[in-house]
Amino acid sequence: MENIISLKIIKDAEERIAPHIHRTPILSSQNINSIAEAELFFKCENFQKIGAFKIRGAANAVLSLKDEEKLKGVCTHSSGNFAQALALSAKKAGIKAYIVMPRTAPAVKKNAVLGYGAEVILCEPTLEAREKTVAGVREKHGAIFIHPYNDYKVIAGH
């Protein structure tokens, strides 16, 4: 993928993920507009699958995998929303997901990831521990690493 996310790449991602996500509403509030003295619009991603926009990027990344990559499964590190998004996207694609989460992640987030069929691997709550643990997962299982935010396919999908 290019190092620039062009409008074409974004439109391709939109088309790729459309059947896999909700089209969320954009709402406005007269009361808030009055307080702000401006017309404001709210993209209600809380109505999205998993309750966050992160499903968009995760779905695009998973749907962009080659068939031979899908056989290896995917892995990431995340405290919650991207963890759930990748777990659900992998489940829908029929592939294995390994999610590295800090031991301090909320139980509701861990349970959601487990509920989507992913394997949760706990680590200490530091970036160094996350990266080291996910590297071990990659080495052990050969899973494709999908970075939760520093990945062009994730960014294009978001």
Side-chain angles (χ1 to χ4, degrees):
M1 180 175 252
E2 301 173 27
N3 288 335
I4 296 173
I5 300 176
S6 66
L7 183 57
K8 180 185 180 334
I9 290 170
I10 292 169
K11 286 184 181 233
D12 289 347
E14 178 185 28
E15 185 177 313
R16 186 178 300 114
I17 68 175
H20 306 279
I21 63 166
H22 294 309
R23 187 162 183 90
T24 55
I26 299 171
L27 303 177
S28 188
S29 165
Q30 289 180 345
N31 289 339
I32 294 173
N33 288 348
S34 178
I35 293 167
E37 297 180 1
E39 192 170 6
L40 302 176
F41 298 92
F42 301 93
K43 182 69 168 146
C44 299
E45 289 297 287
N46 53 312
F47 297 131
Q48 188 54 263
K49 292 179 182 182
I50 71 120
F53 72 93
K54 300 283 186 162
I55 191 71
R56 296 172 184 277
N60 190 51
V62 167
L63 293 167
S64 297
L65 292 172
K66 297 178 178 105
D67 288 340
E68 61 271 13
E69 292 174 317
K70 290 177 183 176
L71 295 173
K72 299 176 182 182
V74 292
C75 63
T76 197
H77 58 77
S78 169
S79 300
N81 287 344
F82 192 77
Q84 292 175 85
L86 190 63
L88 178 57
S89 296
K91 178 181 180 175
K92 288 181 166 250
I95 63 176
K96 181 73 177 162
Y98 305 92
I99 311 294
V100 173
M101 300 182 82
R103 63 175 172 71
T104 56
V108 69
K109 300 287 187 177
K110 291 180 206 171
N111 290 336
V113 171
L114 291 167
Y116 293 131
E119 182 176 327
V120 172
I121 301 99
L122 299 177
C123 68
E124 291 302 308
T126 66
L127 180 58
E128 181 182 1
R130 289 177 186 217
E131 290 175 346
K132 182 178 178 183
T133 305
V134 86
V137 169
R138 289 176 71 192
E139 185 176 318
K140 181 178 179 180
H141 300 287
I144 305 299
F145 177 60
I146 298 179
H147 198 283
Y149 53 86
N150 194 16
D151 180 297
Y152 286 108
K153 291 176 182 131
V154 170
I155 295 166
H158 286 344

